[in-house]
Amino acid sequence: MRNPVLAGLAALALGCLAPACASFRPPDIPNPIAAAKTPEHKAIALIETYAVILEEATDLVANPNTPNAVRQALAAAERAATPSIDLLRIAFGAHLRAQADWQAAQTKDRTTIERASAVLAIAAVRLAEAVDQARAPVAALQRLIQKENPA
C-alpha cells in the first residue's frame, strides 16, 4: 500500500524539478590542448589526448568491420605521431627536472642559481618546441579517427 503523503511529495518534487532539468545545459568543455596556457599544460594535454586517441584507434583497428585502407591509414598516422609524443615526454621530464633543480638551487650561491636558470630556460624552449612538433601529427590522427568514428 502506498503512502498518499509520500506520493504527493514525490509528485510535487518532480513538478518542481522538471523545468529546472529541462533547462539544464552541461558546461562547454573546451579542447584541452586549446585551453592550455603554459607549455607544461600544453604538454600534459597533448600527451593525455594522444593516449585517448590511441585507444580509439586501437578500437577501430580491432573492429572487424573497419576497412583495411582505414587500418593502414591509422597505422601510418600512429607511426607519425608516436615519435613526436615520445620526444614530448622526454622534453617534459627534462623540464620537470630542470624546475626541481632550479628550486633546489635557490638556497645556493649565485653561480649555481644562474646555471640552474640557464638549464631551465633551455628546457623550457625545448619543451615548447616539442609541443609544437607534436601538435600536427596528433591532430592528423585525431581527424582520421573522427572521420571514421564520428561521435
Side-chain angles (χ1 to χ4, degrees), residues 19-93:
C21 290
S23 65
F24 175 75
R25 219 178 108 213
D28 290 331
I29 299 173
N31 174 339
I33 299 167
K37 301 292 184 219
T38 66
E40 296 89 352
H41 292 161
K42 290 175 185 179
I44 293 168
L46 265 168
I47 291 167
E48 295 302 322
T49 298
Y50 174 74
V52 171
I53 291 169
L54 191 58
E55 189 174 317
E56 288 291 322
T58 302
D59 290 346
L60 276 172
V61 169
N63 185 342
N65 297 328
T66 302
N68 278 339
V70 171
R71 288 184 182 153
Q72 291 171 353
L74 286 168
E78 184 272 333
R79 281 192 305 270
T82 297
S84 64
I85 290 297
D86 290 343
L87 180 64
L88 179 56
R89 285 185 181 123
I90 292 167
F92 186 60

Side-chain angles (χ1 to χ4, degrees), residues 39-148:
E40 296 89 352
H41 292 161
K42 290 175 185 179
I44 293 168
L46 265 168
I47 291 167
E48 295 302 322
T49 298
Y50 174 74
V52 171
I53 291 169
L54 191 58
E55 189 174 317
E56 288 291 322
T58 302
D59 290 346
L60 276 172
V61 169
N63 185 342
N65 297 328
T66 302
N68 278 339
V70 171
R71 288 184 182 153
Q72 291 171 353
L74 286 168
E78 184 272 333
R79 281 192 305 270
T82 297
S84 64
I85 290 297
D86 290 343
L87 180 64
L88 179 56
R89 285 185 181 123
I90 292 167
F92 186 60
H95 186 266
L96 290 177
R97 284 188 299 280
Q99 276 185 326
D101 291 346
W102 181 82
Q103 285 290 338
Q106 296 307 302
T107 60
K108 309 289 182 192
D109 62 278
R110 183 178 177 160
T111 304
T112 304
I113 294 171
E114 288 173 356
R115 281 188 197 135
S117 295
V119 170
L120 180 56
I122 292 167
V125 168
R126 297 234 169 100
L127 178 61
E129 290 171 350
V131 165
D132 289 343
Q133 290 174 2
R135 280 181 191 243
V138 169
L141 181 58
Q142 186 175 19
R143 281 190 302 275
L144 183 59
I145 288 172
Q146 288 172 340
K147 177 182 170 192
E148 296 305 322

